[in-house]
Structures are given as structure tokens and as C-alpha cells.
């Protein structure tokens, strides 16, 4: 995740070791494979492709089945659902009930947390969305797009006739307005760089044509467009309710924020700060209304409260906190659903500072600490050991490199590496010296009993190879400051994908990204060149090879101790069906196809 505010979100996942945000799971039941034709009137078809668009791109859209239901895109009435199973009479109605963290903001350019994104991604829409349950892009407000040969100019054709939920027509001017807000420093969006780093210009060519010119070709651009900050607000409604200051210090007064209006499949019904939020179905949504009438979240982050509510049937889903791991696997195993996430957690080496400017010492420490046993015991076996920066499920992940990783725990190997590097114990005190100093270092982490227990194991491991390890906990803010300022030796952090592309992980190793997000201070000219090529190269197989090259070099250079890739486990009651989550998490899903058994709809 990009910038410091994103690192905090990554840290919170590990600190809690509990899935209270209820944001990643898959449907708890099977939908019917054959059903009667929908009994509700079908919505208008908004998939008509512009007659004047590029012929090759038009052919692409005419021959693509984005959501895998066997229906080519122009005829796909319910994009994002299997048209053959759509049955409003059998599945419509009811309230989905959950508990989780309170939202922090309704403004798409300011959302930095999963709880808020869960709501905002349903109220608002962007040009592009994910194919449900995947990390592949497909049309949303844009009915189609075309890209020039250089990959620098994108033309998006908008669906004609779309409206916001207040009845205002959605046009390209609304997109210009929304992007202007993101780009304006007065709004102080934490995601402003997602626009300014890549986009040179944008304009409304007409009411239904939006043109973007990039500074340079950027291969993951379409998936970047799925990000919350690019969602579209109604220009007239929002602009008439905002007082925009002249400077970032003056800021913006957003008088619309209590009544957000979007073009997504859900609308805000009620928000009671500190208590709950309810969103309701947009019955005129262009791809067909959601089955559910409402989605309601009661605000609490008390894991015991959530678990007991789930056991009592008061909520439909809950995360499985680590203290309850054995109980849920014993009593509710058939209700558990686990989803892999595009995330990696690790221990940073400060590659600019003593002693980790020395690659051999980094390799020795990496080989010298047990990770698999710690994951199996302290972390309850919930997560997958990491052997590199890229998580499984992301483009560019190599199973070959994962399986051939050379730096798993091996105390004898670690000792040999240090011996060969001349890092020896010359005074007989049991600890080696490097450059005339005792090889002693601190592992710094945020406050966590789990990390504290892991440090006990690692302290003993490193003592076996002649290194003295101390351990100290700090609050989140201090950890982030230490990472940015380089005032650490070893430090625990993590990264969750902003968009599903290896480039988003590799920016942590680019020289130009020091100190943020490249907090390890790792620098290698060849790696820089590969990452830059990966960023701009449109050829899929060449990009795959570039990702392989970068990951292989990083494995060898050990700028981090790769620790684990997270997985999210939730418990889902049998009466809830059709809930989707891909590797990016359930919070990005529109959940059009989620439905309840008939006897659960009037609770």
C-alpha cells in the first residue's frame, strides 16, 4: 500500500489478527444452476457500443465475456452475474446484517480504510470495476474504451442514459469535476499521487467521451482506475454544497457529506455515528438491482461481541479471531471460508546502515530465524510463508521461485555464510564482531503480544549464529517515523496491494522511492531498470519475465526477511448465499448477487 497512511492499515491487520471488518469472504451456499426467467422487468440495456469507436477495440468488446456467464458483453443483461441464474422473484429481499469498524469518510478521494471503502465502493462507481471475485478489469460507467498503440492515450466511452441516484444525468463533465477534486492540493487527498504521478491531462471530449493522456505508458492503468479515489461524484450536487478554501490549510467545507449521492447499486439510507450504517438497493441500477433490500452494519470492533452475535444468529457473517481459531475449526468448520489476499508481511533490513549494508549479513539473518514454526504456532497456521515480495494470485508470481527459495531457516547455513564473510567471534564472548563492533541489533515492532512472542524465538535463533538481538515495541506512529527516517535496524511492516500488479509491490525497491515507500533503502540500478520497463511495457510475456527477474534478484539480495502472505477466514451462516470476494477483498465487491433464504428476509 502506498505512502505511510497505507502502511498503518497493513499493520492493523496483523496487530489484531482478527477479521472484524468482515471484508473478505465467498458465498456460503450454492445458487441454482437453472431458474425461471426473471419476473421483475429487465432494466434497459446499456451495453451498446459506439458506432464510431476503433474497429479493433469494438471487436474486442463484441467478443468478450467479461463475467464468464457464457454471454458476450453486448448482450449481457446483468453484467457481473450469471444471467441464466438471475431470479428476482426467488432471491429478492431481506437485510444483510454484520458488525464491524465504523466508517471514517464518504468522500472517495479521502477513503483510506476498509470499513469506509466497503460503503463508498457500493454507493459510487468509476469508469472501470473488477470482474466480481477476480482482479480483472471490466467496464463500469464506461461502456468501452480504446487505447493508442503507445499505451499513452485512453478514450473512455460512457454509458448513455445513466443517472445518479438524485436523478442527475451522469456525463463526462462529472468525471472531470471528480478528478479535479482529486488533483487539487486544497483537498489534500492522500491519493493525489495516483493521478498526478501518471496522468498528464484529461478532458471531456463530449457528454459521453472522456479522454486521458498519460505522462508515460503505464501497463496497470486500467486496474488503477478501479481505485476508490477515481469514483465519480455528481458535479452540480457536490459543487453547490462545497466551500473550497484557497489553500490546503483552509481546506474544504463539504456540506454534502451527510447525504452522499452516487451512481452505484446502493444508496445511503441511514448513518448514525457511533452506532450503525444502513445502505439500501438502488432499484434503477443499470446492471439490475441488488437482490438484497438493505445491508446493515452495527459498529463495534470488540471481537467477542461479534463472535457471540454470530453464534446467536444476530449477524450473518463474522471474522474468526485468533483466540477462537481452534473452536471455530472444531465446531463450525463447514461454515468457514478462507480467501487469500494480495498482501505480504516482512521484517525490513535497513540496507543503508550498519550492519545490513552487507548482503552476507542480511542473508545470514534471513537463514538464521525460524518463520515456519512461528507461523504454525503463534499465528495458528493461518498464513502462507512468504519467499519473496509477490503474493500468490498476483500477475508475475512465480511458483518456481517460491519453491526454490534459498533462505529458509538453516542455522548451519547461516553460520557458514558469516564465517565465509569473515564475520567472526574474535573475543570468545559468543557473539561475532563486524567492523570492530559486536554484532548486536534491535528488532522494532508495533505493540503486539504475538510479535513479542515471536521475538523470543528469533532472539534464541540469532544467538545460535553469534548475533545478539534485542526487542522493543513502539506505537504505530513511531514505527512509521522510524521507517521513513531510517532510524532502525530491523523493523516489522507489511504491504497490501493498491492494485493487482507486481509494479505496486516493486516500488518498494526502487531507488527513487527512498525513503517512502522504499523504507529498506535498497538500491540496485538493474532492478530500477527492470521495474521501469515493467511499468511501461505492454507485452504480457515480457512483463512476466521482468517480474521474474526482479523477484529473483530480490530473493538473492534479501532486502527483507519475507515472513507471510495473509489469508482472511470468515464464518458464514448457511442462509447467506452469493457473497463474493477476490484477492482484493470483499470490500471492493458490489455484492449484486448476495441473497438470503426466504425465511431470513423479514428479521
Amino acid at each position: 500500500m502506498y505512502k505511510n497512511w497505507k502502511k498503518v492499515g497493513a499493520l492493523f491487520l496483523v496487530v489484531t489478527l482478527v477479521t472484524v471488518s468482515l471484508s473478505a469472504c465467498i458465498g456460503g451456499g450454492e445458487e441454482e444452476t437453472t431458474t425461471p426467467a426473471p419476473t421483475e422487468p429487465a432494466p434497459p440495456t446499456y451495453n451498446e457500443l459506439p458506432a464510431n469507436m476503433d474497429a479493433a477495440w469494438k471487436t474486442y468488446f463484441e467478443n468478450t465475456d467479461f463475467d464468464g456467464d457464457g454471454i458476450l458483453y453486448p448482450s449481457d443483461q446483468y453484467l457481473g452475474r450469471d444471467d441464466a441464474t438471475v431470479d428476482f422473484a426467488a432471491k429478492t429481499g431481506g437485510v444483510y446484517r454484520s458488525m464491524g469498524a465504523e466508517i471514517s469518510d464518504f468522500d472517495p478521494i479521502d477513503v483510506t480504510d476498509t470499513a469506509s471503502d466497503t460503503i463508498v465502493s457500493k454507493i459510487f462507481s468509476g469508469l472501470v470495476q473488477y470482474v466480481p471475485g477476480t482482479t480483472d478489469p471490466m467496464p463500469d460507467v464506461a461502456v468501452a474504451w480504446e487505447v493508442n498503440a503507445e499505451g499513452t492515450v485512453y478514450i473512455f466511452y460512457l454509458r448513455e442514459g445513466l443517472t445518479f441516484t438524485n436523478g442527475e444525468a451522469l456525463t463526462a463533465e462529472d468525471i472531470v469535476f471528480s478528478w479535479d477534486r482529486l488533483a487539487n492540493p486544497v483537498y489534500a487527498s492522500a491519493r493525489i499521487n495516483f493521478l498526478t504521478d501518471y496522468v498528464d491531462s484529461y478532458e471531456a471530449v463530449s457528454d459521453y467521451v472522456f479522454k486521458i493522456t498519460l505522462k508515460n505508458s503505464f501497463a496497470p492503468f486500467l486496474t488503477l482506475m478501479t481505485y476508490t479515489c477515481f469514483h465519480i461524484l455528481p458535479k452540480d450536487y457536490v459543487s453547490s454544497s462545497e466551500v473550497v478554501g484557497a489553500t490546503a490549510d483552509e481546506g474544504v467545507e463539504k456540506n454534502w457529506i451527510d447525504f452522499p449521492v452516487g451512481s452505484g447499486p446502493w444508496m445511503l439510507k441511514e448513518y448514525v455515528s457511533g452506532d450503525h450504517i444502513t445502505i439500501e438497493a438502488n432499484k434503477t441500477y443499470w446492471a439490475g438491482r441488488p437482490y438484497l433490500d438493505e445491508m446493515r452494519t452495527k459498529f463495534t470492533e470488540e471481537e467477542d461481541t461479534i463472535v457471540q452475535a454470530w453464534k446467536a444468529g444476530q449477524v450473518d457473517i463474522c471474522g474468526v479471531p485468533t483466540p477462537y481459531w481452534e473452536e471455530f475449526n472444531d465446531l463450525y468448520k463447514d461454515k468457514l471460508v478462507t480467501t487469500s489476499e494480495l498482501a505480504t508481511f516482512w521484517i525490513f533490513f535497513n540496507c543503508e546502515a550498519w550492519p545490513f549494508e552487507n548482503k552476507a549479513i542480511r542473508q545470514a539473518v534471513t537463514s538464521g530465524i525460524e518463520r515456519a514454526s512461528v507461523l504454525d504456532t503463534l499465528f495458528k497456521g493461518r498464513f502462507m510463508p512468504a519467499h519473496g515480495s509477490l503474493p500468490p494470485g498476483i500477475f508475475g508470481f512465480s511458483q518456481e521461485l517460491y519453491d526454490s527459495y534459498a533462505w529458509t531457516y538453516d542455522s548451519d547455513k547461516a553460520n557458514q555464510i558469516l564465517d565465509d564473510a569473515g564475520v567472526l567471534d574474535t573475543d570468545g564472548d559468543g557473539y561475532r564482531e563486524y567492523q570492530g563492533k559486536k554484532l548486536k541489533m534491535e528488532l522494532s515492532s508495533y505493540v503486539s503480544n504475538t510479535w513479542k512472542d515471536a521475538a523470543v524465538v528469533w532472539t534464541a535463533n540469532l544467538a545460535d549464529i553469534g548475533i545478539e538481538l534485542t526487542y522493543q515495541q513502539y506505537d504505530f506512529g513511531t514505527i512509521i517515523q522510524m521507517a521513513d527516517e531510517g532510524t532502525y535496524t530491523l523493523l516489522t511492516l507489511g504491504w497490501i496491494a493498491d492494485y493487482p500488479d507486481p509494479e505496486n509491490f516493486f516500488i518498494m525497491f526502487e531507488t527513487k522511492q527512498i525513503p517512502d515507500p522504499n523504507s529498506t533503502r535498497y538500491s540496485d540500478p538493474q532492478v530500477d531498470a527492470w521495474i521501469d520497463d515493467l511499468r511501461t511495457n505492454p507485452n504480457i510475456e515480457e512483463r512476466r519475465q521482468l517480474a521474474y527477474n526482479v523477484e529473483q534478484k530480490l530473493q538473492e539480495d534479501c532486502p527483507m526477511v519475507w515472513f507471510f502472505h495473509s489469508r482472511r477466514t470468515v464464518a458464514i451462516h448457511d442462509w447467506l448465499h452469493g457473497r463474493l470476494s477476490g484477492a482484493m477483498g470483499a470490500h471492493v465487491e458490489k455484492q449484486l448477487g448476495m441473497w438470503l433464504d426466504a425465511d431470513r428476509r423479514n428479521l
Side-chain angles (χ1 to χ4, degrees):
M1 294 194 156
Y2 204 81
K3 302 297 180 186
N4 290 340
W5 46 270
K6 302 302 288 283
K7 292 176 186 172
V8 172
L11 290 166
F12 183 75
L13 173 66
V14 182
V15 170
T16 58
L17 291 177
V18 51
T19 328
V20 297
S21 63
L22 310 179
S23 66
C25 51
I26 299 174
E30 296 296 326
E31 294 191 24
E32 299 169 357
T33 56
T34 58
T35 62
T39 57
E40 266 198 13
T45 300
Y46 290 100
N47 296 347
E48 184 176 352
L49 300 173
N52 61 341
M53 71 179 295
D54 178 85
W57 279 99
K58 188 174 185 180
T59 298
Y60 163 73
F61 283 98
E62 288 174 336
N63 291 278
T64 299
D65 172 16
F66 284 103
D67 58 11
D69 63 356
I71 300 176
L72 296 181
Y73 173 55
S75 302
D76 200 333
Q77 187 75 67
Y78 301 102
L79 188 66
R81 284 181 278 198
D82 183 347
D83 284 31
T85 68
V86 171
D87 188 344
F88 291 104
K91 300 177 182 177
T92 297
V95 179
Y96 166 79
R97 303 159 307 153
S98 65
M99 290 182 173
E102 182 164 8
I103 67 168
S104 63
D105 211 303
F106 283 114
D107 192 340
I109 67 172
D110 287 329
V111 170
T112 60
D113 61 285
T114 298
S116 297
D117 201 4
T118 299
I119 301 299
V120 169
S121 290
K122 292 172 179 60
I123 293 176
F124 298 95
S125 293
L127 291 165
V128 182
Q129 63 181 313
Y130 289 115
V131 174
T134 80
T135 57
D136 301 322
M138 75 175 187
D140 193 355
V141 167
V143 69
W145 55 80
E146 56 192 44
V147 189
N148 70 346
E150 295 74 26
T152 55
V153 178
Y154 285 72
I155 305 292
F156 288 92
Y157 298 95
L158 309 188
R159 299 179 193 277
E160 298 189 21
L162 295 192
T163 62
F164 294 98
T165 53
N166 66 350
E168 289 184 20
L170 191 160
T171 72
E173 287 294 339
D174 296 298
I175 305 175
V176 171
F177 168 76
S178 301
W179 287 33
D180 283 349
R181 294 177 78 253
L182 175 61
N184 187 345
V186 173
Y187 286 84
S189 170
R191 291 171 170 78
I192 186 174
N193 63 289
F194 277 22
L195 178 61
T196 57
D197 283 1
Y198 307 112
V199 176
D200 181 63
S201 64
Y202 50 89
E203 61 177 311
V205 177
S206 68
D207 281 351
Y208 297 107
V209 179
F210 183 68
K211 179 181 179 181
I212 304 169
T213 302
L214 303 185
K215 295 178 179 179
N216 299 286
S217 175
F218 182 57
F221 185 68
L222 281 177
T223 53
L224 180 66
M225 288 295 92
T226 66
Y227 209 82
T228 313
C229 64
F230 293 105
H231 287 356
I232 304 163
L233 284 70
K235 175 183 178 181
D236 293 340
Y237 175 75
V238 172
S239 64
S240 65
S241 303
E242 287 192 335
V243 179
V244 183
T247 67
D249 288 338
E250 294 181 14
V252 182
E253 182 181 331
K254 303 174 183 178
N255 296 316
W256 60 272
I257 206 74
D258 290 334
F259 304 97
V261 170
S263 60
W266 299 88
M267 306 181 295
L268 179 65
K269 179 178 181 180
E270 184 179 51
Y271 170 51
V272 179
S273 179
D275 190 76
H276 72 276
I277 187 169
T278 302
I279 57 176
E280 60 183 338
N282 175 6
K283 296 179 181 179
T284 62
Y285 183 62
W286 65 266
R289 62 157 289 173
Y291 289 134
L292 293 168
D293 287 334
E294 297 179 4
M295 299 178 71
R296 185 180 302 150
T297 299
K298 179 76 172 176
F299 298 141
T300 180
E301 296 186 63
E302 293 294 329
E303 58 186 41
D304 292 339
T305 300
I306 298 172
V307 167
Q308 296 309 318
W310 183 84
K311 289 181 178 180
Q314 297 168 357
V315 294
D316 304 312
I317 185 173
C318 79
V320 182
T322 297
Y324 288 91
W325 185 249
E326 288 85 358
E327 177 187 349
F328 269 72
N329 276 274
D330 183 39
L331 299 179
Y332 310 112
K333 192 172 185 63
D334 61 332
K335 293 178 172 58
L336 300 184
V337 176
T338 297
T339 305
S340 295
E341 300 177 309
L342 297 185
T344 306
F345 293 83
W346 42 55
I347 302 170
F348 280 163
F349 291 121
N350 188 336
C351 298
E352 281 185 345
W354 183 95
F356 292 127
E357 84 284 0
N358 186 319
K359 180 171 73 173
I361 297 178
R362 299 198 302 266
Q363 292 173 336
V365 170
T366 303
S367 297
I369 64 174
E370 290 187 278
R371 279 97 77 197
S373 64
V374 169
L375 287 176
D376 286 343
T377 55
L378 300 180
F379 288 81
K380 308 294 186 181
R382 303 183 67 165
F383 305 134
M384 176 181 178
H387 294 167
S389 62
L390 297 183
I394 200 168
F395 173 80
F397 173 81
S398 169
Q399 190 66 46
E400 173 196 339
L401 288 178
Y402 185 90
D403 293 340
S404 62
Y405 181 60
W407 312 107
T408 52
Y409 176 64
D410 187 331
S411 181
D412 291 340
K413 181 177 182 177
N415 273 305
Q416 190 63 55
I417 291 170
L418 293 172
D419 289 346
D420 292 345
V423 181
L424 307 173
D425 175 13
T426 59
D427 59 9
D429 67 349
Y431 295 103
R432 299 172 186 265
E433 296 89 36
Y434 173 60
Q435 294 180 346
K437 294 192 296 182
K438 179 181 180 180
L439 202 52
K440 178 179 180 179
M441 60 199 65
E442 177 185 288
L443 170 63
S444 310
S445 89
Y446 43 84
V447 178
S448 162
N449 288 334
T450 306
W451 283 107
K452 181 179 180 180
D453 292 342
V456 173
V457 176
W458 296 336
T459 298
N461 291 160
L462 292 185
D464 289 342
I465 63 172
I467 297 175
E468 182 177 352
L469 181 71
T470 61
Y471 175 70
Q472 183 65 47
Q473 295 185 346
Y474 302 88
D475 62 71
F476 278 159
T478 301
I479 284 289
I480 296 303
Q481 183 177 355
M482 292 168 68
D484 287 344
E485 296 177 354
T487 54
Y488 73 92
T489 310
L490 288 163
L491 183 143
T492 58
L493 276 174
W495 191 267
I496 304 173
D498 294 306
Y499 46 89
D501 193 87
E503 185 269 351
N504 186 236
F505 282 81
F506 290 156
I507 58 176
M508 287 178 293
F509 307 102
E510 280 189 289
T511 302
K512 68 180 182 181
Q513 303 288 357
I514 297 172
D516 181 23
N518 184 356
S519 299
T520 67
R521 278 78 175 162
Y522 172 84
S523 178
D524 183 272
Q526 179 61 77
V527 170
D528 289 342
W530 281 332
I531 295 172
D532 194 54
D533 194 2
L534 177 74
R535 180 175 291 119
T536 59
N537 194 325
N539 185 286
I540 291 178
E541 290 310 313
E542 291 179 9
R543 295 191 82 237
R544 193 186 309 278
Q545 183 61 51
L546 288 164
Y548 182 97
N549 294 345
V550 174
E551 191 80 328
Q552 185 179 50
K553 186 70 163 62
L554 292 176
Q555 282 189 340
E556 175 66 21
D557 289 351
C558 294
M560 301 173 173
V561 179
W562 319 113
F563 192 16
F564 67 84
H565 304 298
S566 56
R567 292 184 288 223
R568 193 177 294 270
T569 299
V570 294
I572 305 174
H573 280 300
D574 295 338
W575 57 73
L576 178 68
H577 311 275
R579 183 175 171 87
L580 292 175
S581 177
M584 294 301 293
H587 63 284
V588 304
E589 303 286 351
K590 297 183 184 295
Q591 303 297 2
L592 299 175
M594 188 158 61
W595 58 281
L596 294 163
D597 286 345
D599 61 355
R600 302 294 301 186
R601 295 177 194 166
N602 296 316
L603 300 179

